[in-house]
Amino acid sequence: MAQNIYDNPDFFAGYSQLPRQVHGLDGAPEWPAIRAMLPDLGGKRVVDLGCGFGWASRWMREQGAASVLGLDLSQNMIERAKADTADSAVEYRIADLDTLDLPETAFDLAYSALTFHYVQDFGRLVRVIRKALVPDGHFVFTIEHPIFMAAAHPHWISDEEGRKTWPVNRYSVEGERRTDWFAKDVLKYHRTLGTTLNTLISAGFQIRRVEEFAPTREQIQQMPQLAEELERPMMLIVSASTSIAGSA
């Protein structure tokens, strides 16, 4: 079973105060980039893997999705998502993505935001998702960028001129990374960029687009603290398709 850090009271209390949890999708600077990679949602059956508070699940219904299944390991997350959702076409369930099974050809879109770096067996999960998608199905997800999470002690280092640098070490050594973030020993799994993309290809996905998120000039003007995100990619956004041609 995956580490259920989100049901840790200290972690959940801190996490709940993040702008992206207080303001929802409007508090996530990468959301416009994600939105541009999503297909037309009209009539789509969606599975939201690691749905959290349900912000994306509800938004997808608002965009015309026929149904949304939100899955998350955390009881805290699922309870909050249910409390904030008044739509019978959105269903939430507790599920461990490391042991997940899904019905075959049951979904048109699989979506996940900042969850897969908690999954130990990414290859197994990707194969499950591939079978769960219809022909011409779509798969869009974000993860912490491998450069962001590779270091044993990820934090900014300032040089003699005060310029911030993000350390990258043990990049090719894949596997466990433990960090202190709202709680001690938060467990994540580092994979290289090549491993991430090749796992999709091996499962039969067609890579459609890859973005290494960086804030726009306008976003930095509105939130100057985002300027440091230009120094290293924090997030990887991937769009893939089950279609041979990768058409929308």
Side-chain angles (χ1 to χ4, degrees), residues 99-115:
T99 58
L100 180 68
D101 284 315
L102 293 171
E104 293 190 15
T105 61
F107 303 99
D108 304 288
L109 168 66
Y111 172 77
S112 183
L114 297 176
T115 300

Side-chain angles (χ1 to χ4, degrees), residues 140-174:
V140 177
F141 67 90
T142 71
I143 57 172
E144 289 186 357
H145 197 289
I147 286 176
F148 175 80
M149 67 179 299
H153 302 289
H155 56 77
W156 291 107
I157 299 171
S158 295
D159 64 16
E160 293 79 3
E161 298 177 353
R163 184 182 180 90
K164 290 183 176 180
T165 298
W166 192 260
V168 178
N169 51 58
R170 300 175 62 217
Y171 181 82
S172 296
V173 181
E174 300 183 319

Side-chain angles (χ1 to χ4, degrees), residues 12 33 36 39 45-46 152 209:
F12 189 73
R45 297 164 298 167
V46 181
R209 191 167 183 83

Side-chain angles (χ1 to χ4, degrees), residues 69-132:
L69 173 61
L71 303 174
D72 204 287
L73 180 63
S74 166
Q75 182 175 347
N76 284 341
M77 294 290 193
I78 292 297
E79 288 180 353
R80 170 69 179 272
K82 288 181 175 179
D84 291 349
T85 304
D87 185 342
S88 60
V90 181
E91 178 185 0
Y92 298 108
R93 298 179 194 166
I94 294 176
D96 184 349
L97 298 189
D98 266 319
T99 58
L100 180 68
D101 284 315
L102 293 171
E104 293 190 15
T105 61
F107 303 99
D108 304 288
L109 168 66
Y111 172 77
S112 183
L114 297 176
T115 300
F116 292 160
H117 44 263
Y118 296 111
V119 173
Q120 182 177 18
D121 194 343
F122 183 57
R124 179 193 182 277
L125 177 60
V126 167
R127 292 190 295 273
V128 169
I129 294 169
R130 176 64 180 83
K131 291 179 181 179

